[in-house]
Amino acid sequence: MSTIPQSASQSSYQPIIPKDFNANQPKTIKLYPLSNYTFGTKDAQPEEDPSVVSRLERLETHYKEHGMRRTCEGILLCHEHKSPHILMLQIANAFFKLPGDYLQAEDDEIEGFKTRLNDRLAPVGSQFSGEGVNDEWQIGDTLAQWWRPNFETFMYPYIPPHCTRPKECKKLYFIHLPRTKVLSVPKNMKLLAVPVFELYDNTQRYGPQLAAIPQYLSKYNFEYLDEEGNTIAETPGIGDASSGGAKVVAGDVDMHAGTNGVKEEAA
């Protein structure tokens, strides 16, 4: 899954480094270890609807008043043992979902999504202080859009040809986690780090939307860092920026692009 860079290798037998294999590649993503993040709890957030029927009825009411409902969910990535893990909420020890929720009709998409993420995961009160407390969310690429053509449970990663007025659109965003962050979870939920290999092709347990996340992430290369920010592993074939290969890094670190020596400081 990953290659140990020469600077972190403890073996005298070094791997053969291929030519750069990073053409037209999205940003390389830096992943920090799960141990860098602090987790707390806050008051429970019970589900708004007692049943699936009531949820669909509320969706129908929303559609009649405001049109298609907009839902945003975030994919938060860290790593354990040099393997990508996704932070997911578990409800009632059985149901998994990504952080996020539907937007209010008047909300701006990105700002409304940040509000929803804060509702779910931002710490409250003075329980925590210091770095990573209530930092701004870094909303990255839209990785997928799922459409609900009717007032029913089925959603599709495309709009069926007979559907001209979908009832809901759910967007999955990549959320860039900084080096450290404090997350507070409602007491009636758990925040679990689920490895991508557990999700892959596992629709029976996670459903088609979550089971497809490994495919969404496959377009990225990953660079795995330790608690101090040193690279301990990386995706094979991402090239070496010092030798002219393109290496663009997302997050709060330097970014190098192309072979012309351009260097930008990310916020």
Side-chain angles (χ1 to χ4, degrees), residues 97-156:
K97 66 182 297 184
L98 295 170
D101 212 330
Y102 67 90
L103 304 181
Q104 300 297 330
E106 66 278 5
D107 283 352
D108 171 77
E109 181 177 344
I110 298 301
E111 293 305 315
F113 181 33
K114 289 179 180 179
T115 299
R116 281 308 204 176
L117 286 174
N118 285 330
D119 290 342
R120 284 290 190 222
L121 295 177
V124 294
S126 56
Q127 182 181 7
F128 299 99
S129 61
E131 185 181 0
V133 179
N134 291 321
D135 286 346
E136 184 80 2
W137 294 99
Q138 299 179 45
I139 311 297
D141 299 335
T142 297
L143 297 184
Q145 295 185 106
W146 286 78
W147 303 89
R148 193 187 305 274
N150 299 302
F151 300 113
E152 56 189 20
T153 56
F154 298 107
M155 296 189 79
Y156 303 89

Short mmCIF file of all heavy atoms in Angstrom, two decimals, residues 97-156:
data_model
loop_
_atom_site.label_atom_id
_atom_site.label_comp_id
_atom_site.label_asym_id
_atom_site.label_seq_id
_atom_site.Cartn_x
_atom_site.Cartn_y
_atom_site.Cartn_z
N LYS A 97 -22.42 6.46 9.61
CA LYS A 97 -22.65 7.60 8.74
C LYS A 97 -21.46 8.53 8.82
O LYS A 97 -20.68 8.50 9.78
CB LYS A 97 -23.94 8.33 9.12
CG LYS A 97 -23.90 8.98 10.49
CD LYS A 97 -25.24 9.65 10.82
CE LYS A 97 -25.57 10.77 9.87
NZ LYS A 97 -26.80 11.49 10.22
N LEU A 98 -21.31 9.36 7.79
CA LEU A 98 -20.25 10.35 7.77
C LEU A 98 -20.72 11.62 8.48
O LEU A 98 -21.92 11.92 8.50
CB LEU A 98 -19.88 10.69 6.32
CG LEU A 98 -19.28 9.55 5.50
CD1 LEU A 98 -19.20 9.95 4.03
CD2 LEU A 98 -17.90 9.16 6.02
N PRO A 99 -19.80 12.39 9.05
CA PRO A 99 -20.20 13.66 9.69
C PRO A 99 -20.80 14.61 8.65
O PRO A 99 -20.30 14.73 7.54
CB PRO A 99 -18.88 14.21 10.24
CG PRO A 99 -17.96 13.04 10.31
CD PRO A 99 -18.37 12.12 9.21
N GLY A 100 -21.86 15.28 9.03
CA GLY A 100 -22.55 16.21 8.15
C GLY A 100 -24.05 16.01 8.25
O GLY A 100 -24.53 15.20 9.04
N ASP A 101 -24.80 16.74 7.45
CA ASP A 101 -26.26 16.65 7.48
C ASP A 101 -26.81 17.50 6.35
O ASP A 101 -26.07 18.09 5.58
CB ASP A 101 -26.80 17.11 8.83
CG ASP A 101 -28.07 16.36 9.24
OD1 ASP A 101 -28.82 15.96 8.33
OD2 ASP A 101 -28.31 16.19 10.45
N TYR A 102 -28.15 17.59 6.29
CA TYR A 102 -28.77 18.42 5.26
C TYR A 102 -28.62 19.90 5.61
O TYR A 102 -28.53 20.26 6.78
CB TYR A 102 -30.24 18.04 5.08
CG TYR A 102 -31.13 18.37 6.26
CD1 TYR A 102 -31.77 19.60 6.36
CD2 TYR A 102 -31.33 17.44 7.28
CE1 TYR A 102 -32.58 19.91 7.44
CE2 TYR A 102 -32.14 17.74 8.37
CZ TYR A 102 -32.77 18.97 8.44
OH TYR A 102 -33.56 19.27 9.51
N LEU A 103 -28.58 20.74 4.59
CA LEU A 103 -28.45 22.18 4.78
C LEU A 103 -29.83 22.81 4.95
O LEU A 103 -30.82 22.33 4.39
CB LEU A 103 -27.74 22.82 3.59
CG LEU A 103 -26.36 22.28 3.21
CD1 LEU A 103 -25.82 23.07 2.01
CD2 LEU A 103 -25.40 22.35 4.38
N GLN A 104 -29.87 23.90 5.69
CA GLN A 104 -31.09 24.69 5.74
C GLN A 104 -31.30 25.35 4.38
O GLN A 104 -30.35 25.60 3.63
CB GLN A 104 -30.99 25.76 6.83
CG GLN A 104 -30.79 25.20 8.23
CD GLN A 104 -31.96 24.34 8.69
OE1 GLN A 104 -33.10 24.56 8.29
NE2 GLN A 104 -31.67 23.37 9.55
N ALA A 105 -32.55 25.62 4.05
CA ALA A 105 -32.88 26.13 2.71
C ALA A 105 -32.13 27.41 2.39
O ALA A 105 -31.75 27.65 1.24
CB ALA A 105 -34.39 26.34 2.60
N GLU A 106 -31.90 28.27 3.39
CA GLU A 106 -31.26 29.57 3.14
C GLU A 106 -29.74 29.52 3.23
O GLU A 106 -29.07 30.52 2.97
CB GLU A 106 -31.79 30.62 4.13
CG GLU A 106 -31.43 30.37 5.58
CD GLU A 106 -32.33 29.36 6.30
OE1 GLU A 106 -33.21 28.78 5.63
OE2 GLU A 106 -32.15 29.17 7.52
N ASP A 107 -29.16 28.38 3.59
CA ASP A 107 -27.72 28.30 3.83
C ASP A 107 -26.91 28.35 2.54
O ASP A 107 -27.29 27.74 1.53
CB ASP A 107 -27.38 27.00 4.56
CG ASP A 107 -27.71 27.05 6.04
OD1 ASP A 107 -28.06 28.14 6.52
OD2 ASP A 107 -27.64 25.99 6.70
N ASP A 108 -25.77 29.03 2.60
CA ASP A 108 -24.74 28.89 1.57
C ASP A 108 -24.14 27.49 1.70
O ASP A 108 -24.02 26.96 2.80
CB ASP A 108 -23.66 29.95 1.77
CG ASP A 108 -22.46 29.72 0.89
OD1 ASP A 108 -22.54 30.04 -0.31
OD2 ASP A 108 -21.44 29.20 1.40
N GLU A 109 -23.75 26.90 0.57
CA GLU A 109 -23.32 25.50 0.59
C GLU A 109 -22.14 25.24 1.53
O GLU A 109 -22.23 24.41 2.44
CB GLU A 109 -22.96 25.06 -0.83
CG GLU A 109 -22.53 23.59 -0.91
CD GLU A 109 -22.25 23.15 -2.33
OE1 GLU A 109 -22.67 23.86 -3.27
OE2 GLU A 109 -21.59 22.11 -2.51
N ILE A 110 -21.04 25.95 1.33
CA ILE A 110 -19.83 25.67 2.10
C ILE A 110 -19.97 26.14 3.55
O ILE A 110 -19.65 25.40 4.50
CB ILE A 110 -18.59 26.30 1.44
CG1 ILE A 110 -18.38 25.70 0.05
CG2 ILE A 110 -17.36 26.08 2.30
CD1 ILE A 110 -18.18 24.19 0.03
N GLU A 111 -20.47 27.35 3.75
CA GLU A 111 -20.63 27.86 5.11
C GLU A 111 -21.66 27.04 5.89
O GLU A 111 -21.49 26.77 7.08
CB GLU A 111 -21.01 29.34 5.09
CG GLU A 111 -19.91 30.25 4.56
CD GLU A 111 -18.60 30.08 5.33
OE1 GLU A 111 -18.64 30.03 6.57
OE2 GLU A 111 -17.54 29.99 4.68
N GLY A 112 -22.72 26.65 5.20
CA GLY A 112 -23.73 25.81 5.85
C GLY A 112 -23.17 24.45 6.23
O GLY A 112 -23.49 23.90 7.29
N PHE A 113 -22.29 23.92 5.36
CA PHE A 113 -21.67 22.63 5.66
C PHE A 113 -20.75 22.74 6.87
O PHE A 113 -20.73 21.86 7.74
CB PHE A 113 -20.92 22.15 4.42
CG PHE A 113 -20.26 20.80 4.59
CD1 PHE A 113 -20.82 19.81 5.38
CD2 PHE A 113 -19.06 20.52 3.94
CE1 PHE A 113 -20.21 18.58 5.53
CE2 PHE A 113 -18.44 19.29 4.09
CZ PHE A 113 -19.02 18.32 4.88
N LYS A 114 -19.99 23.83 6.94
CA LYS A 114 -19.11 24.02 8.10
C LYS A 114 -19.93 24.10 9.39
O LYS A 114 -19.52 23.56 10.44
CB LYS A 114 -18.28 25.29 7.92
CG LYS A 114 -17.20 25.19 6.84
CD LYS A 114 -16.43 26.50 6.70
CE LYS A 114 -15.36 26.39 5.62
NZ LYS A 114 -14.62 27.66 5.44
N THR A 115 -21.08 24.75 9.32
CA THR A 115 -21.96 24.82 10.49
C THR A 115 -22.42 23.43 10.90
O THR A 115 -22.44 23.09 12.10
CB THR A 115 -23.19 25.71 10.18
OG1 THR A 115 -22.74 27.02 9.87
CG2 THR A 115 -24.13 25.76 11.37
N ARG A 116 -22.77 22.60 9.93
CA ARG A 116 -23.21 21.24 10.22
C ARG A 116 -22.08 20.41 10.83
O ARG A 116 -22.30 19.61 11.74
CB ARG A 116 -23.73 20.57 8.95
CG ARG A 116 -25.13 20.99 8.56
CD ARG A 116 -26.10 20.84 9.72
NE ARG A 116 -27.47 20.67 9.29
CZ ARG A 116 -28.48 20.45 10.12
NH1 ARG A 116 -28.27 20.40 11.43
NH2 ARG A 116 -29.70 20.30 9.67
N LEU A 117 -20.85 20.59 10.31
CA LEU A 117 -19.71 19.87 10.88
C LEU A 117 -19.46 20.32 12.32
O LEU A 117 -19.15 19.49 13.19
CB LEU A 117 -18.46 20.11 10.03
CG LEU A 117 -18.39 19.39 8.69
CD1 LEU A 117 -17.17 19.83 7.90
CD2 LEU A 117 -18.38 17.88 8.88
N ASN A 118 -19.60 21.61 12.58
CA ASN A 118 -19.44 22.10 13.95
C ASN A 118 -20.50 21.53 14.87
O ASN A 118 -20.23 21.17 16.02
CB ASN A 118 -19.48 23.63 13.97
CG ASN A 118 -18.21 24.26 13.44
OD1 ASN A 118 -17.12 23.68 13.56
ND2 ASN A 118 -18.31 25.43 12.85
N ASP A 119 -21.74 21.44 14.38
CA ASP A 119 -22.81 20.87 15.18
C ASP A 119 -22.46 19.45 15.62
O ASP A 119 -22.73 19.04 16.75
CB ASP A 119 -24.12 20.85 14.39
CG ASP A 119 -24.69 22.24 14.16
OD1 ASP A 119 -24.27 23.17 14.89
OD2 ASP A 119 -25.54 22.40 13.26
N ARG A 120 -21.86 18.70 14.70
CA ARG A 120 -21.56 17.30 14.98
C ARG A 120 -20.28 17.12 15.80
O ARG A 120 -20.25 16.32 16.74
CB ARG A 120 -21.40 16.53 13.67
CG ARG A 120 -22.67 16.18 12.96
CD ARG A 120 -23.47 15.13 13.70
NE ARG A 120 -24.57 14.64 12.91
CZ ARG A 120 -25.79 14.42 13.37
NH1 ARG A 120 -26.07 14.69 14.64
NH2 ARG A 120 -26.73 13.95 12.59
N LEU A 121 -19.22 17.85 15.44
CA LEU A 121 -17.90 17.49 15.95
C LEU A 121 -17.13 18.59 16.69
O LEU A 121 -16.10 18.30 17.29
CB LEU A 121 -17.02 16.98 14.79
CG LEU A 121 -17.49 15.69 14.11
CD1 LEU A 121 -16.57 15.35 12.94
CD2 LEU A 121 -17.54 14.53 15.09
N ALA A 122 -17.59 19.83 16.64
CA ALA A 122 -16.83 20.89 17.30
C ALA A 122 -16.98 20.81 18.81
O ALA A 122 -18.08 20.52 19.32
CB ALA A 122 -17.29 22.26 16.80
N PRO A 123 -15.91 21.01 19.57
CA PRO A 123 -16.02 21.00 21.04
C PRO A 123 -16.83 22.20 21.52
O PRO A 123 -16.87 23.24 20.87
CB PRO A 123 -14.55 21.09 21.50
CG PRO A 123 -13.82 21.69 20.35
CD PRO A 123 -14.53 21.26 19.11
N VAL A 124 -17.47 22.04 22.67
CA VAL A 124 -18.26 23.12 23.25
C VAL A 124 -17.71 23.48 24.62
O VAL A 124 -17.07 22.67 25.29
CB VAL A 124 -19.75 22.72 23.37
CG1 VAL A 124 -20.36 22.54 22.00
CG2 VAL A 124 -19.90 21.44 24.19
N GLY A 125 -17.97 24.71 25.04
CA GLY A 125 -17.52 25.14 26.36
C GLY A 125 -16.01 25.27 26.43
O GLY A 125 -15.32 25.48 25.44
N SER A 126 -15.49 25.13 27.62
CA SER A 126 -14.05 25.32 27.87
C SER A 126 -13.36 24.01 28.23
O SER A 126 -12.37 23.99 28.94
CB SER A 126 -13.84 26.34 29.00
OG SER A 126 -14.53 25.92 30.17
N GLN A 127 -13.93 22.88 27.74
CA GLN A 127 -13.35 21.58 28.07
C GLN A 127 -11.94 21.44 27.50
O GLN A 127 -11.07 20.82 28.10
CB GLN A 127 -14.24 20.47 27.49
CG GLN A 127 -13.75 19.05 27.81
CD GLN A 127 -14.65 17.98 27.20
OE1 GLN A 127 -15.55 18.28 26.44
NE2 GLN A 127 -14.40 16.74 27.56
N PHE A 128 -11.69 22.06 26.31
CA PHE A 128 -10.38 21.97 25.68
C PHE A 128 -9.88 23.36 25.36
O PHE A 128 -10.65 24.30 25.18
CB PHE A 128 -10.46 21.16 24.38
CG PHE A 128 -10.91 19.74 24.57
CD1 PHE A 128 -12.23 19.37 24.33
CD2 PHE A 128 -10.02 18.77 24.99
CE1 PHE A 128 -12.65 18.07 24.51
CE2 PHE A 128 -10.43 17.45 25.18
CZ PHE A 128 -11.75 17.10 24.94
N SER A 129 -8.57 23.48 25.26
CA SER A 129 -7.96 24.75 24.86
C SER A 129 -6.66 24.44 24.14
O SER A 129 -6.12 23.34 24.24
CB SER A 129 -7.69 25.65 26.08
OG SER A 129 -6.80 25.01 26.97
N GLY A 130 -6.15 25.42 23.40
CA GLY A 130 -4.88 25.25 22.71
C GLY A 130 -5.06 24.95 21.24
O GLY A 130 -6.11 25.20 20.64
N GLU A 131 -4.02 24.36 20.63
CA GLU A 131 -4.00 24.12 19.19
C GLU A 131 -5.07 23.11 18.80
O GLU A 131 -5.30 22.11 19.47
CB GLU A 131 -2.61 23.58 18.79
CG GLU A 131 -2.45 23.41 17.29
CD GLU A 131 -1.08 22.86 16.92
OE1 GLU A 131 -0.27 22.62 17.84
OE2 GLU A 131 -0.82 22.68 15.72
N GLY A 132 -5.73 23.37 17.68
CA GLY A 132 -6.69 22.43 17.13
C GLY A 132 -8.10 22.55 17.67
O GLY A 132 -8.96 21.75 17.33
N VAL A 133 -8.36 23.55 18.54
CA VAL A 133 -9.70 23.73 19.10
C VAL A 133 -10.46 24.74 18.24
O VAL A 133 -10.04 25.88 18.10
CB VAL A 133 -9.64 24.20 20.56
CG1 VAL A 133 -11.04 24.41 21.12
CG2 VAL A 133 -8.88 23.19 21.40
N ASN A 134 -11.57 24.29 17.67
CA ASN A 134 -12.44 25.15 16.85
C ASN A 134 -11.71 25.82 15.69
O ASN A 134 -12.01 26.95 15.31
CB ASN A 134 -13.12 26.21 17.73
CG ASN A 134 -14.14 25.60 18.67
OD1 ASN A 134 -14.88 24.69 18.29
ND2 ASN A 134 -14.20 26.08 19.89
N ASP A 135 -10.72 25.12 15.13
CA ASP A 135 -10.08 25.62 13.92
C ASP A 135 -11.05 25.55 12.75
O ASP A 135 -11.97 24.72 12.74
CB ASP A 135 -8.83 24.79 13.59
CG ASP A 135 -7.67 25.10 14.52
OD1 ASP A 135 -7.75 26.12 15.23
OD2 ASP A 135 -6.69 24.32 14.54
N GLU A 136 -10.83 26.40 11.77
CA GLU A 136 -11.70 26.41 10.58
C GLU A 136 -11.57 25.08 9.83
O GLU A 136 -10.48 24.53 9.67
CB GLU A 136 -11.27 27.56 9.67
CG GLU A 136 -12.14 27.76 8.45
CD GLU A 136 -13.42 28.52 8.74
OE1 GLU A 136 -13.63 28.93 9.90
OE2 GLU A 136 -14.21 28.69 7.81
N TRP A 137 -12.70 24.55 9.36
CA TRP A 137 -12.68 23.32 8.55
C TRP A 137 -12.12 23.63 7.18
O TRP A 137 -12.45 24.64 6.57
CB TRP A 137 -14.09 22.76 8.41
CG TRP A 137 -14.68 22.27 9.69
CD1 TRP A 137 -15.56 22.92 10.50
CD2 TRP A 137 -14.44 21.00 10.32
NE1 TRP A 137 -15.88 22.14 11.60
CE2 TRP A 137 -15.20 20.95 11.51
CE3 TRP A 137 -13.65 19.89 10.00
CZ2 TRP A 137 -15.20 19.86 12.37
CZ3 TRP A 137 -13.66 18.79 10.85
CH2 TRP A 137 -14.42 18.78 12.01
N GLN A 138 -11.27 22.74 6.67
CA GLN A 138 -10.71 22.89 5.33
C GLN A 138 -11.48 21.96 4.38
O GLN A 138 -11.23 20.76 4.33
CB GLN A 138 -9.22 22.54 5.33
CG GLN A 138 -8.37 23.43 6.24
CD GLN A 138 -6.91 23.03 6.22
OE1 GLN A 138 -6.34 22.77 5.17
NE2 GLN A 138 -6.31 22.97 7.39
N ILE A 139 -12.43 22.55 3.66
CA ILE A 139 -13.28 21.77 2.77
C ILE A 139 -12.56 21.58 1.44
O ILE A 139 -12.22 22.56 0.76
CB ILE A 139 -14.63 22.46 2.54
CG1 ILE A 139 -15.27 22.88 3.87
CG2 ILE A 139 -15.57 21.55 1.74
CD1 ILE A 139 -15.59 21.76 4.79
N GLY A 140 -12.32 20.33 1.07
CA GLY A 140 -11.59 20.03 -0.16
C GLY A 140 -12.51 19.68 -1.32
O GLY A 140 -13.62 20.21 -1.46
N ASP A 141 -12.06 18.76 -2.16
CA ASP A 141 -12.78 18.40 -3.37
C ASP A 141 -14.12 17.73 -3.07
O ASP A 141 -14.28 17.04 -2.07
CB ASP A 141 -11.95 17.41 -4.21
CG ASP A 141 -10.62 18.00 -4.65
OD1 ASP A 141 -10.52 19.23 -4.73
OD2 ASP A 141 -9.68 17.21 -4.88
N THR A 142 -15.05 17.92 -4.00
CA THR A 142 -16.26 17.10 -4.00
C THR A 142 -15.90 15.75 -4.61
O THR A 142 -15.46 15.68 -5.77
CB THR A 142 -17.37 17.77 -4.84
OG1 THR A 142 -17.72 19.01 -4.24
CG2 THR A 142 -18.61 16.88 -4.89
N LEU A 143 -16.05 14.69 -3.85
CA LEU A 143 -15.64 13.36 -4.32
C LEU A 143 -16.77 12.60 -4.98
O LEU A 143 -16.53 11.71 -5.80
CB LEU A 143 -15.08 12.55 -3.15
CG LEU A 143 -13.82 13.11 -2.49
CD1 LEU A 143 -13.32 12.16 -1.42
CD2 LEU A 143 -12.73 13.36 -3.52
N ALA A 144 -18.02 12.91 -4.60
CA ALA A 144 -19.14 12.16 -5.17
C ALA A 144 -20.43 12.94 -4.97
O ALA A 144 -20.55 13.76 -4.07
CB ALA A 144 -19.26 10.78 -4.52
N GLN A 145 -21.40 12.66 -5.85
CA GLN A 145 -22.76 13.18 -5.70
C GLN A 145 -23.72 12.01 -5.83
O GLN A 145 -23.65 11.24 -6.79
CB GLN A 145 -23.08 14.23 -6.77
CG GLN A 145 -22.25 15.49 -6.67
CD GLN A 145 -22.69 16.55 -7.66
OE1 GLN A 145 -23.30 17.54 -7.31
NE2 GLN A 145 -22.37 16.34 -8.94
N TRP A 146 -24.62 11.90 -4.86
CA TRP A 146 -25.64 10.86 -4.88
C TRP A 146 -27.01 11.54 -4.97
O TRP A 146 -27.24 12.55 -4.31
CB TRP A 146 -25.56 10.00 -3.61
CG TRP A 146 -24.40 9.05 -3.63
CD1 TRP A 146 -23.09 9.35 -3.39
CD2 TRP A 146 -24.43 7.65 -3.93
NE1 TRP A 146 -22.30 8.23 -3.52
CE2 TRP A 146 -23.10 7.17 -3.85
CE3 TRP A 146 -25.45 6.75 -4.26
CZ2 TRP A 146 -22.77 5.83 -4.07
CZ3 TRP A 146 -25.12 5.42 -4.48
CH2 TRP A 146 -23.80 4.97 -4.39
N TRP A 147 -27.88 10.95 -5.77
CA TRP A 147 -29.17 11.58 -6.06
C TRP A 147 -30.33 10.68 -5.60
O TRP A 147 -30.29 9.47 -5.77
CB TRP A 147 -29.30 11.83 -7.56
CG TRP A 147 -28.21 12.68 -8.13
CD1 TRP A 147 -27.00 12.25 -8.62
CD2 TRP A 147 -28.20 14.11 -8.24
NE1 TRP A 147 -26.25 13.32 -9.04
CE2 TRP A 147 -26.96 14.47 -8.82
CE3 TRP A 147 -29.13 15.10 -7.91
CZ2 TRP A 147 -26.62 15.78 -9.08
CZ3 TRP A 147 -28.79 16.41 -8.18
CH2 TRP A 147 -27.56 16.76 -8.75
N ARG A 148 -31.34 11.33 -5.02
CA ARG A 148 -32.57 10.63 -4.63
C ARG A 148 -33.68 11.06 -5.60
O ARG A 148 -34.20 12.18 -5.51
CB ARG A 148 -32.95 10.98 -3.19
CG ARG A 148 -34.01 10.08 -2.60
CD ARG A 148 -34.48 10.57 -1.22
NE ARG A 148 -33.40 10.73 -0.28
CZ ARG A 148 -32.92 9.77 0.50
NH1 ARG A 148 -33.43 8.54 0.41
NH2 ARG A 148 -31.94 10.01 1.35
N PRO A 149 -34.07 10.19 -6.53
CA PRO A 149 -35.04 10.61 -7.55
C PRO A 149 -36.47 10.73 -7.02
O PRO A 149 -37.27 11.50 -7.55
CB PRO A 149 -34.94 9.52 -8.62
CG PRO A 149 -34.38 8.33 -7.91
CD PRO A 149 -33.51 8.85 -6.80
N ASN A 150 -36.79 9.95 -5.98
CA ASN A 150 -38.15 9.95 -5.45
C ASN A 150 -38.13 9.98 -3.93
O ASN A 150 -37.07 9.92 -3.31
CB ASN A 150 -38.92 8.70 -5.93
CG ASN A 150 -39.04 8.66 -7.45
OD1 ASN A 150 -39.58 9.58 -8.05
ND2 ASN A 150 -38.52 7.60 -8.06
N PHE A 151 -39.30 10.02 -3.32
CA PHE A 151 -39.40 10.01 -1.87
C PHE A 151 -39.30 8.57 -1.37
O PHE A 151 -40.27 7.97 -0.89
CB PHE A 151 -40.73 10.65 -1.42
CG PHE A 151 -40.87 12.08 -1.86
CD1 PHE A 151 -41.84 12.43 -2.80
CD2 PHE A 151 -40.04 13.07 -1.37
CE1 PHE A 151 -41.97 13.74 -3.22
CE2 PHE A 151 -40.16 14.39 -1.78
CZ PHE A 151 -41.13 14.73 -2.71
N GLU A 152 -38.11 8.01 -1.51
CA GLU A 152 -37.84 6.65 -1.10
C GLU A 152 -36.39 6.55 -0.65
O GLU A 152 -35.62 7.50 -0.78
CB GLU A 152 -38.13 5.67 -2.24
CG GLU A 152 -37.36 5.99 -3.52
CD GLU A 152 -37.82 5.16 -4.70
OE1 GLU A 152 -38.95 4.63 -4.66
OE2 GLU A 152 -37.04 5.03 -5.66
N THR A 153 -36.01 5.40 -0.14
CA THR A 153 -34.68 5.28 0.47
C THR A 153 -33.56 5.16 -0.55
O THR A 153 -32.40 5.43 -0.23
CB THR A 153 -34.63 4.05 1.40
OG1 THR A 153 -35.00 2.89 0.64
CG2 THR A 153 -35.60 4.22 2.56
N PHE A 154 -33.85 4.78 -1.78
CA PHE A 154 -32.80 4.52 -2.76
C PHE A 154 -32.18 5.80 -3.27
O PHE A 154 -32.87 6.75 -3.61
CB PHE A 154 -33.36 3.72 -3.95
CG PHE A 154 -33.89 2.37 -3.56
CD1 PHE A 154 -35.25 2.13 -3.54
CD2 PHE A 154 -33.02 1.35 -3.20
CE1 PHE A 154 -35.74 0.89 -3.17
CE2 PHE A 154 -33.50 0.10 -2.83
CZ PHE A 154 -34.87 -0.13 -2.82
N MET A 155 -30.83 5.81 -3.31
CA MET A 155 -30.08 6.91 -3.92
C MET A 155 -29.12 6.32 -4.95
O MET A 155 -28.68 5.17 -4.82
CB MET A 155 -29.31 7.70 -2.86
CG MET A 155 -30.20 8.40 -1.85
SD MET A 155 -29.30 9.55 -0.77
CE MET A 155 -29.11 10.97 -1.86
N TYR A 156 -28.79 7.12 -5.95
CA TYR A 156 -27.98 6.64 -7.06
C TYR A 156 -26.84 7.64 -7.33
O TYR A 156 -27.01 8.84 -7.13
CB TYR A 156 -28.82 6.51 -8.33
CG TYR A 156 -30.02 5.59 -8.16
CD1 TYR A 156 -31.24 6.09 -7.72
CD2 TYR A 156 -29.92 4.23 -8.44
CE1 TYR A 156 -32.34 5.26 -7.55
CE2 TYR A 156 -31.02 3.39 -8.28
CZ TYR A 156 -32.22 3.92 -7.83
OH TYR A 156 -33.30 3.09 -7.66
#
